Amino acid sequence: MRVDRSDDALDTLFQPLADGVLRWPEQGGALFLHARDGIGLRQQPRPGLVCEQGFKPEVDALHRAGLDTVDLDTLDPARRFPLVLVLPPRQRDEARALFAQAIARTAPGGRVLACMRNDEGARSGETDLGRIAGPVGSLSKRKCRAFWTAPLDGAADPAQAAAWAAFDQPREILGGRFVSRPGVFAWDRIDAASALLAAHLPSDLRGRAADLGAGYGYLSAELLARCPGIVAVDLYEAQARALELARTNLSRVATSAELEFHWHDVTAGLDRGYDVIVSNPPFHGQGRDERPDLGRRFIAVAAEALNPGGRLWLVANRHLPYESVLDERFGQVRIVAQRGGFKVVEAIKHTKASAKARA
């Protein structure tokens, strides 16, 4: 399979190996936390590589490249690796917890090798790893920084490593209404855009509903609370950790509606029809770059999945250019509210009669 996907952080992660500063283990393989597929990963054979990733589009890309993925919760807790690779996330508490996890998975004499983009906290990441691992080496390239530990025998600061590992644990937020954890979108609050959408959901929504990009479950909980005619909700979320939180949070909601939870990349489409769809679609990828194409694809998928006359309730930043795809895909579109830089939109899918009239 030809791989032509460039990823500066991934490519720089493997630079110390390409330069001979570090060596790929002859035995024992390597664990890759938050693994991504791309040119840097595929340039050389990586015998014994074990990939961990919880974001469904990245998991799918790894599988298409012929690489298996594991869930750390099911990986033998006693297994250690002579090399642990890390692509830390932007969220600092989650990144610190990942560094602690990396050290805990490193065999005696092994190393942790990480890389971050400069504009996503590379210098802070290097400092943080050094705080619990001891001295680190580093190199800079492609506006990224790769940094690695000396051979390890556990954490240099076990107490700090244990404290950071605890950062990643689910915890109660908003007075105990929800459970969340760092690394999930708007993890410790109700996102202002989602709150605006929830406040305008009409009580007459009914039938089978879907929540696209469900996060930790806030919009689904609000939909069930405000719309007694909803008989089922399917929650679609690409981030595995968010979906598990949504499962916990929706278990606390008193409802007779059928609930299903799908670890799924919405941009790949849906295979079920709905009467109602709610969504606060993402407009960034895994990095900082704005990706309005993601929101447009969410809208197109919603239009495909809605039954004739079905209703999409969407919230988005006011500046995002979604109007053309909404007008193209739906029979009726109206802006319901605009506040705080956000817009709430209701879009109703053509009925068969309206489609004939338009033709």
Side-chain angles (χ1 to χ4, degrees), residues 254-335:
T255 180
S256 60
E258 176 188 348
L259 301 175
E260 292 189 19
F261 301 84
H262 304 270
W263 185 39
H264 183 71
D265 177 8
V266 169
T267 67
L270 307 179
D271 58 6
R272 179 178 284 176
Y274 295 98
D275 304 299
V276 175
I277 291 178
V278 297
S279 185
N280 179 2
F283 62 96
H284 291 92
Q286 290 292 85
R288 289 177 176 268
D289 297 337
E290 195 166 285
R291 292 279 309 278
D293 59 298
L294 290 175
R296 289 194 291 266
R297 179 57 184 158
F298 267 56
I299 292 167
V301 168
E304 293 165 1
L306 280 167
N307 299 322
R311 300 159 74 180
L312 168 66
W313 280 79
L314 172 86
V315 67
N317 287 49
R318 289 175 63 179
H319 74 278
L320 291 172
Y322 293 161
E323 282 71 19
S324 60
V325 67
L326 285 163
D327 290 339
E328 176 186 345
R329 298 280 186 155
F330 289 88
Q332 301 177 48
V333 178
R334 69 185 180 102
I335 295 179

Side-chain angles (χ1 to χ4, degrees), residues 32-57:
F32 191 175
L33 301 178
H34 284 206
R36 299 198 293 262
D37 182 41
I39 294 171
L41 178 63
R42 306 280 293 174
Q43 280 181 328
Q44 298 290 334
R46 309 293 181 192
L49 180 66
V50 175
C51 295
E52 178 276 332
Q53 173 59 257
F55 187 58
K56 193 61 165 64

Side-chain angles (χ1 to χ4, degrees), residues 130-153:
R131 285 181 62 185
I132 59 173
V136 297
S138 67
L139 64 78
S140 295
K141 196 165 187 175
R142 307 179 187 89
K143 298 183 180 180
C144 300
R145 180 180 291 261
F147 44 97
W148 57 90
T149 68
L152 296 173
D153 188 9

